Amino acid sequence: MKSKSIAVVGAAETTQLGVIPDLSQIQLHADAALNAMADAGLKPSDIDGLATTPEWTPNLANYLGITPAWVDGTMVGGCSFMLHVRHAAAAINEGLCSTVLITHGESGRSRVGVGPFSGNRASLEGQFEAPYGIMGPPTVFTIPVLRYMKTYGVSEEQLAMVAVVQREWAAKNPRASMKDPITVQDVLSSRMIAYPFRLLMCCLVTDGGGALILTSAQRAKDFPRKPVYILGTGEGAESWMISQMEDFTTSRAFRVSGRKAFAEAGISHKDVDHLMIYDAFAHLPLYGLEDLGFCKPGEAAGFIWERNTAPGGKLPLNTNGGGLSYMHSGMYGMYALQESVRQMRGVAPAQVPDAKISVCHGVGGMFAASGTIIFSNQAP
Amino acid sequence: MPEAKRPLPKPTPETRHFWEGTAAGELRLQRCDQCRRAYFPPRPFCPKCGSRKVSVFKASGRATLYSYVINHRPMPPFTAPYSIAVVELDEGPRMMTNIVGCPQTPEALQLDMPLQVVFEKQTDEITLPFFKPAGA
Ligand SMILES: [Zn+2]
């Protein structure tokens, strides 16, 4: 085992997922945290590091009865938890703390115990984007795709296929919000949200949470669950203003984050058995497959169309059903991490046989930020 | 319920020249005096080389359509469906806008089509730049 290795020793989602009108947002964090502590056989007093968002870390520490000696509140949107994992791994290796809890909880649908949406009209996006009628991610995250489709000749049918394949995975998952099979035609006849995106190409809006507990790989063998090791991590950032993204056909933050994670893990793409790519909208798996290097530029839509990422395909992708069909509370990154851990533990509802390496890639704040974590059930 | 209004910008010291420009019917960009690169949104230094020696200049107002969506959900005071676009200015920088003066359809909104800036006064302080098909 490498001297500086980190493992996940606790992982859990909230007891319920979907519509949870009887829990406020901070209690969704706590429910997931208590489940993860039970999974790891730990009490709040055993935790000495805490990272969370969108709740404020000191508030959650007090609520959970944790006295952290290491505090992280990194908030870069839905991939914040990938960054928390990366920062926690570095902190544990540096001896800043030994046992880190990372939580997410979001009352995305029911909006219980959540402040109002607000915008700063003096910010650059408030001055130069908000006046043009943007309504959150469905009208902003989506803007690059027509340029991508024109550049590579990708059709609306191919974009729709992303949602179709992920529904096939969701059908195998009892906790998925949407399980009924859909066809390309169903996607293309669903309600138009923001051309070219139709309803079934957009993520769900649900309530839920999740939590992870990390410690050194040396300590990990003393925990009840089989450790899931972290082989490599990456993060990146580009622009919160979509109009200032360098190239609408590729994400610079994805490329930076992915390269870092693969280099640190010392693996190649053919070693990867399982892949998660944060899919708030149907185009994100296309960008992810290409920017992480699984496909050449322009080839991801064909790769998915030919069922390489579908059940039985050579690169199982978004096996929980993804943000499109499993759940999406607003900051989905935590649920992608949970599915990677389940796959590495061998307990996923749609388990990939003999999977040993899982790559989990997140996006945050539209294309503003990115985080990548590479897991394995084999000690590095 | 109060009538919904378009969320208007609040200028800051670093962006005031831009909004004074639109009120005067000019699209004002900045250019680095060192590396000569034009950039947007406004800031008092060059994002490429970090130089603080920068100048404001009047842009041509010509652009091409880089990418867009057509929003179909109700968003008062906007009338759906309406385009939310990113245009590439002839000088290089890109900016968000609405494409006006043409049907809000995929057929009328072709990527790379030439566009021209138009200004619409919103308040005494704020005039917003929009883009219409060139020659329309
Ligand atoms: Zn310069």
Side-chain angles (χ1 to χ4, degrees), chain A residues 121-122 127-128 130-135 138-139 142-143 146-147 150 192-195 242 244-246 248, chain B residues 6-8 10 15 19 40 65-70 72-73 75 78 82 84 94 96 98 106 111-112 129:
Chain A
R121 293 185 188 184
Q127 293 186 66
F128 298 108
Y132 296 107
I134 59 178
M135 302 179 62
T139 55
T142 50
I143 290 178
L146 284 182
R147 174 55 57 183
K150 178 171 179 176
M192 188 67 86
I193 300 295
Y195 170 82
I242 200 88
Q244 302 309 307
M245 185 179 175
E246 181 178 61
F248 277 16
Chain B
R6 185 188 286 264
L8 293 179
K10 278 193 185 146
T15 66
W19 298 114
F40 178 86
L65 182 53
Y66 185 56
S67 204
Y68 68 92
V69 293
I70 303 172
H72 283 251
R73 292 186 301 164
M75 174 71 171
F78 296 83
Y82 61 92
I84 305 169
R94 297 193 193 120
M96 189 175 282
N98 302 125
L111 295 200
D112 303 309

Side-chain angles (χ1 to χ4, degrees), chain B residues 31-39 45-54:
Chain B
R31 180 180 283 128
C32 177
D33 296 342
Q34 307 280 100
C35 75
R36 304 303 299 164
R37 187 183 145 107
Y39 64 87
F45 61 91
C46 170
K48 186 76 178 173
C49 76
S51 170
R52 292 175 187 261
K53 295 196 175 70
V54 298

Side-chain angles (χ1 to χ4, degrees), chain A residues 139-312:
Chain A
T139 55
V140 180
F141 214 161
T142 50
I143 290 178
V145 84
L146 284 182
R147 174 55 57 183
Y148 176 90
M149 291 166 76
K150 178 171 179 176
T151 300
Y152 295 120
V154 170
S155 66
E156 289 180 46
E157 285 75 10
Q158 286 176 308
L159 193 60
M161 189 65 172
V162 176
V164 171
V165 168
Q166 290 196 198
R167 187 62 64 84
E168 292 180 28
W169 285 113
K172 299 172 180 291
N173 189 340
R175 271 163 72 87
S177 294
M178 308 295 274
K179 292 188 274 285
D180 293 340
I182 51 173
T183 64
V184 166
Q185 199 47 51
D186 291 335
V187 178
L188 293 181
S189 55
S190 65
R191 183 159 53 89
M192 188 67 86
I193 300 295
Y195 170 82
F197 285 85
R198 293 173 179 275
L199 182 67
L200 293 178
M201 299 173 180
C202 302
C203 67
L204 307 163
V205 182
T206 54
D207 306 320
L212 294 170
I213 298 172
L214 272 58
T215 193
S216 68
Q218 277 85 357
R219 284 184 67 213
K221 61 183 183 305
D222 303 329
F223 285 79
R225 294 286 209 148
K226 190 167 180 279
V228 175
Y229 301 96
I230 293 169
L231 300 187
T233 64
E235 65 192 272
E238 186 171 357
S239 169
W240 166 240
M241 295 176 75
I242 200 88
S243 62
Q244 302 309 307
M245 185 179 175
E246 181 178 61
D247 180 342
F248 277 16
T249 70
T250 171
S251 162
R252 192 171 74 205
F254 280 21
R255 299 193 311 270
V256 169
S257 179
R259 273 200 299 264
K260 279 275 185 194
F262 273 84
E264 186 182 322
I267 62 161
S268 68
H269 293 81
K270 65 175 175 2
D271 299 324
V272 176
D273 302 305
H274 172 251
L275 178 61
M276 297 298 291
I277 297 174
Y278 189 136
D279 58 324
F281 296 91
H283 59 322
L284 292 172
L286 307 181
Y287 285 71
L289 283 167
E290 295 173 13
D291 290 334
L292 292 173
F294 289 96
C295 294
K296 293 197 179 75
E299 293 186 353
F303 188 75
I304 290 176
W305 187 266
E306 289 153 13
R307 302 189 57 79
N308 288 296
T309 64

Side-chain angles (χ1 to χ4, degrees), chain A residues 72-91:
Chain A
D72 187 1
T74 300
M75 167 48 173
V76 290
C79 65
S80 297
F81 316 101
M82 282 78 174
L83 276 68
H84 293 165
V85 168
R86 186 167 201 249
H87 302 172

